[in-house]
Amino acid sequence: MDGISGIKKPELQALPRVSDRITFLYVEHAKVNRQDGAITVTDSRGIIRIPAAIVGVLLLGPGTDVTHRAMELIGDTGTSVVWTGERGVRHYAHGRALSHNTKLLMEQAELVSNVRSRVSVARKMYQMRFENEDVSTLTMQQLRGREGARVRSIYRKESKATGVPWTGREYDPDDFESGTPINQALSAAHTALYGLVYSVIVALGLSPGLGFVHTGHDLSFVYDIADLYKADVTIPIAFKIASKPGVEDIGRETRLAVRDAFADGKIMEKITRDLYNLMGEGEQEVIADLINLWDDKEGLVKHGISYEEFS
């Protein structure tokens, strides 16, 4: 069911802003194709059509086939694509996203490469979690200790409120089924959040690997940002789902609950706003195609011009 060829690539200005899109769509054991300006998802239950430009990130689980024409449309509309493991757990690969501009990326690289500015950004992240306290003088070691105590307190509070036993965050990323129901729910909820955070990060042209608190992983910055929202979003959802009796597929139920919590789009707006704030920038429109040549004396010069006469 390939789409009609020759459909004009949409202009950037015609695409919804990242903060205006729906959050994520998870697909497994299905065929992803294209029909005109929409992607189609076909499984044993039938076919649905989804306008590609309104999706923030498409999560492709096991048993998913995706056509070249579908990927062409997804790429043109700036939708992020993440290939995941079973039930959306684990991040295997990703496709190119909306912004091709490196302004924020260069700012991120500069901030993370200097110890003083890196600590400053990390403190901003912790300050967002301790709104009524001043953490500007705390060391990274002290901040980690405070954060650990905060998270343990949140787990105990949710356990008491829902009646779900809590013995600690214990799970095998290679064996989802081996975890307790609450640990399965937490894994599913957090992975959905990671996918959403990743899609916003790359849509704005930032690097998911240049973290300020986490380091050494290609998703370090994703983990940094996702940690800002777990206490308010994914942890309460996971405990609520784990408290329900007779849930057959806890991963799916959790993922649907997270999707519903994200449905109004406010979390994407908040992530976008927080990223600009952390990078020290006022919110701007995403610029997709802006290419210059770097010059050690003039700064930036135009590309696409022959400079042979100056050599």
Side-chain angles (χ1 to χ4, degrees):
M1 190 181 294
D2 288 332
I4 300 171
S5 61
I7 294 176
K8 184 179 179 182
K9 178 178 178 179
E11 297 293 333
L12 176 68
Q13 292 76 13
L15 297 177
R17 296 183 308 166
V18 62
S19 58
D20 292 335
R21 299 184 178 210
I22 63 173
T23 51
F24 71 90
L25 176 67
Y26 176 77
V27 178
E28 65 178 15
H29 302 293
K31 175 89 169 183
V32 179
N33 210 324
R34 169 182 180 172
Q35 186 176 36
D36 300 337
I39 54 174
T40 62
V41 180
T42 306
D43 65 9
S44 59
R45 295 166 294 182
I47 303 174
I48 60 171
R49 298 176 77 254
I50 304 144
I54 68 169
V55 179
V57 57
L58 180 63
L59 303 175
L60 301 178
T64 304
D65 292 328
V66 57
T67 67
H68 184 278
R69 292 284 287 148
M71 288 304 303
E72 178 186 25
L73 174 64
I74 290 166
D76 285 347
T77 55
T79 298
S80 297
V81 182
V82 179
W83 282 263
T84 75
E86 189 176 7
R87 294 180 174 87
V89 177
R90 296 179 69 87
H91 175 129
Y92 292 130
H94 58 264
R96 188 178 190 183
L98 182 59
S99 179
H100 308 160
N101 180 265
T102 61
K103 182 178 186 298
L104 280 177
L105 174 61
M106 293 174 69
E107 182 68 25
Q108 179 189 16
E110 183 176 345
L111 289 170
V112 81
S113 300
N114 178 279
V115 173
R116 181 172 296 179
S117 60
R118 182 172 184 172
V119 171
S120 176
V121 174
R123 283 199 182 109
K124 283 185 181 180
M125 293 181 182
Y126 284 113
Q127 186 67 70
M128 293 166 66
R129 288 170 260 192
F130 298 96
E131 293 182 356
N132 299 320
E133 302 179 37
D134 181 9
V135 302
S136 60
T137 61
L138 298 183
T139 65
M140 291 298 295
Q141 293 82 1
Q142 291 171 324
L143 290 167
R144 285 197 298 269
R146 293 289 303 282
E147 173 65 359
R150 183 186 77 101
V151 173
R152 287 191 295 271
S153 175
I154 292 167
Y155 283 137
R156 289 194 298 267
K157 176 184 175 183
E158 294 296 333
S159 176
K160 183 177 180 180
T162 60
V164 175
W166 177 252
T167 58
R169 185 75 172 106
E170 300 170 352
Y171 65 100
D172 181 351
D174 295 318
D175 188 359
F176 181 82
E177 298 291 349
S178 68
T180 61
I182 181 56
N183 275 292
Q184 289 183 20
L186 285 166
S187 293
H190 292 340
T191 301
L193 178 61
Y194 295 150
L196 176 64
V197 170
Y198 161 81
S199 71
V200 179
I201 285 174
V202 296
L204 298 181
L206 292 159
S207 168
L210 294 182
F212 293 81
V213 177
H214 295 83
T215 192
H217 192 278
D218 63 338
L219 298 177
S220 292
F221 194 46
V222 174
Y223 300 145
D224 280 0
I225 302 304
D227 279 353
L228 301 176
Y229 316 111
K230 288 179 179 178
D232 294 326
V233 183
T234 50
I235 293 176
I237 288 174
F239 273 90
K240 181 178 180 180
I241 298 299
S243 70
K244 293 183 176 181
V247 177
E248 294 184 3
D249 188 339
I250 198 165
R252 181 176 184 274
E253 289 294 322
T254 304
R255 198 165 52 248
L256 290 174
V258 173
R259 182 199 64 185
D260 291 343
F262 290 169
D264 61 7
K266 291 181 179 179
I267 184 69
M268 293 188 78
E269 292 179 4
K270 182 169 178 55
I271 295 170
T272 303
R273 186 169 58 250
D274 289 343
L275 284 168
Y276 276 114
N277 179 58
L278 289 169
M279 295 300 102
E281 297 283 345
E283 186 170 350
Q284 305 167 19
E285 292 294 325
V286 176
I287 301 174
D289 295 297
L290 178 62
I291 307 175
N292 292 292
L293 302 179
W294 178 81
D295 186 271
D296 59 340
K297 294 183 174 62
E298 298 183 41
L300 300 177
V301 296
K302 291 183 179 181
H303 85 293
I305 296 175
S306 175
Y307 289 94
E308 181 180 1
E309 59 188 277
F310 301 107
S311 61

